[in-house]
Amino acid sequence: DPNLVYQPNRTPKSQRKDFRNFETGSVAEHVYNTYKLMHTNQNVDFVKRKHLEWSGCSHTEMSMMDAVMSLDQLVDESDPDVDFPNSFHAFQTAEGIRNEHPDKDWFQLVGLIHDVGKVMALWGEPQWAVVGDTFPVGCAFQNSIVFRDSTFQDNPDDTNPSYNSKYGIYKPNCGLDNVLLSWGHDEYLYRVLQFNKCSIPEEGLNMIRYHSFYPWHSQGDYMYLCNDKDLRMLPWVNEFNKFDLYTKAAELPDVKKLCPYYQSLIDKYCPGILKCRHKVALQPTRVQMSTGAGNPDTWARTHCTAWATVEFNLRRGGAFSCEVVINTIMFRLK
Ligand SMILES: O[C@H]1[C@H](O)[C@@H](O)[C@H](O)[C@@H](O)[C@H]1O
Ligand SMILES: [Fe+2]
């Protein structure tokens, strides 16, 4: 579609400069604190644990419109431009898209629902594991990440030689599909939509999955991890970003008036009651391991679905078995 070429200058500079100012302003402090916690705690082990916790088989069921409306309880602490509930930002984004893309109803719907994954924050997840810009873990944290200089010093991955090189655990151009991004609402909603077999086109799903990956879509960084598909998706993600960012305004939309129209889009692309992946509490578990099973690592590999290293406390039992107390919550028994 020739109309969809990214035009960075479409929004006049004068209008743009007020957005994403992370340095000054009344919100600067809580924005910084959210990123400080995020950049300290989001590392390879953490992200793998979140993938596991939020992909369990216990589900909450809710309609997409209820999920959007529940965001009226959430003010995003990472966002220097929005100090009102996220549900309004959903309608602002959608209406902006509807103005410029009246023919693409799926795109308008993406505008409405893109932040729905933030419901995780209403279900007990701290905001630094839900909101904010995302970035790859498992390879060097690049300077394109906001607050890069001052927030990563306590992140163990930053000094881990397996993770702090340009490619880290990845192969050149392996594709973003194979890259672990910091855990947050983008990936969560992407998974919920896939799980429920929603019929939003691939471009829309990628807008949702990568809309907070500013180091990539706005700074042009991490291209060395991208494959052809990612490069095909990038103009769409950027087209989405124009509305996600530049429709943020103090004037709030009349949500009640807009609901019927958007309900019709929901009915078309993600109807009915959706199954939402709910967080599974993975508790430290006590299990019996036969000594014949060899060393604990081998045992874990055969008996656990694990993302991360499992830690053991071995206690000698009888001649043929010992008790294994698995301390981490990063695995489930198969
Ligand atoms: O996509 C946006 C963006 O990354 C913002 O910077 C962040 O504050 C929001 O949480 C997120 O929804
Ligand atoms: Fe978002």
Side-chain angles (χ1 to χ4, degrees):
D1 182 347
N3 293 323
L4 224 96
V5 181
Y6 178 47
Q7 296 166 284
N9 296 326
R10 194 140 140 190
T11 309
K13 264 219 163 83
S14 58
Q15 232 171 294
R16 247 192 293 162
K17 70 173 185 330
D18 289 324
F19 290 97
R20 291 179 63 79
N21 175 353
F22 289 98
E23 305 303 328
T24 54
S26 56
V27 292
E29 197 178 325
H30 70 245
V31 173
Y32 178 82
N33 292 340
T34 306
Y35 276 106
K36 173 76 182 159
L37 284 165
M38 183 195 300
H39 294 171
T40 301
N41 294 299
Q42 293 251 10
N43 55 28
V44 170
D45 283 353
F46 178 85
V47 171
K48 287 177 172 177
R49 170 148 50 101
K50 289 294 148 190
H51 279 233
L52 192 60
E53 282 180 3
W54 286 97
S55 65
C57 26
S58 71
H59 296 109
T60 290
E61 305 195 342
M62 70 201 301
S63 74
M64 186 55 90
M65 191 56 95
D66 285 347
V68 172
M69 295 315 238
S70 75
L71 295 182
D72 62 10
Q73 297 165 58
L74 186 94
V75 178
D76 185 327
E77 288 167 6
S78 71
D79 196 332
D81 301 312
V82 173
D83 58 3
F84 46 82
N86 231 261
S87 47
F88 292 108
H89 164 60
F91 284 93
Q92 287 176 334
T93 310
E95 285 289 279
I97 296 169
R98 190 177 170 192
N99 268 332
E100 272 199 49
H101 297 278
D103 55 324
K104 291 193 180 61
D105 60 355
W106 60 266
F107 191 5
Q108 301 161 22
L109 179 66
V110 165
L112 183 78
I113 68 175
H114 72 283
D115 274 341
V116 154
K118 290 180 187 173
V119 292
M120 285 191 296
L122 305 175
W123 296 337
E125 202 62 83
Q127 287 223 8
W128 56 262
V130 174
V131 302
D133 296 358
T134 56
F135 57 92
V137 297
C139 61
F141 304 126
Q142 297 293 9
N143 290 332
S144 50
I145 303 172
V146 64
F147 300 124
R148 168 65 183 94
D149 288 343
S150 57
T151 49
F152 281 95
Q153 61 273 29
D154 298 324
N155 188 318
D157 286 8
D158 201 27
T159 47
N160 182 333
S162 312
Y163 298 143
N164 68 5
S165 62
K166 179 174 175 188
Y167 289 103
I169 59 176
Y170 306 113
K171 298 240 153 51
N173 305 105
C174 60
L176 294 180
D177 244 338
N178 297 305
V179 171
L180 289 171
L181 293 185
S182 53
W183 177 251
H185 63 286
D186 298 34
E187 180 71 20
Y188 175 68
L189 179 63
Y190 172 75
R191 286 167 177 237
V192 169
L193 294 171
Q194 269 197 326
F195 186 82
N196 288 279
K197 302 195 174 25
C198 295
S199 57
I200 295 169
E202 189 188 22
E203 293 80 359
L205 294 175
N206 279 276
M207 291 171 183
I208 288 167
R209 195 177 194 187
Y210 299 116
H211 76 270
S212 302
F213 190 10
Y214 273 80
W216 176 60
H217 66 60
S218 291
Q219 310 288 319
D221 208 344
Y222 293 102
M223 291 299 170
Y224 45 89
L225 298 178
C226 294
N227 62 17
D228 288 347
K229 187 192 108 188
D230 300 324
L231 299 183
R232 266 200 332 273
M233 291 299 146
L234 181 56
W236 291 94
V237 176
N238 272 321
E239 182 64 13
F240 173 79
N241 181 249
K242 285 197 314 211
F243 303 101
D244 186 15
L245 185 55
Y246 300 120
T247 62
K248 290 172 180 173
E251 195 186 319
L252 300 182
D254 184 344
V255 168
K256 215 167 155 203
K257 205 172 103 205
L258 297 171
C259 265
Y261 174 70
Y262 287 100
Q263 184 61 55
S264 74
L265 303 189
I266 290 173
D267 293 344
K268 182 167 168 191
Y269 292 102
C270 35
I273 303 293
L274 306 177
K275 289 183 191 303
C276 297
R277 292 165 171 241
H278 213 308
K279 187 174 174 174
V280 207
L282 299 170
Q283 296 302 331
T285 311
R286 217 166 258 269
V287 287
Q288 289 293 122
M289 180 189 89
S290 149
T291 46
N295 73 30
D297 274 340
T298 319
W299 181 89
R301 242 170 282 129
T302 33
H303 289 84
C304 306
T305 30
W307 280 101
T309 350
V310 178
E311 286 167 26
F312 295 93
N313 278 341
L314 289 184
R315 255 190 262 144
R316 281 195 181 288
F320 299 105
S321 72
C322 58
E323 193 181 53
V324 186
V325 180
I326 296 159
N327 290 320
T328 74
I329 58 168
M330 297 173 188
F331 79 100
R332 280 183 300 160
L333 291 177
K334 272 183 189 163

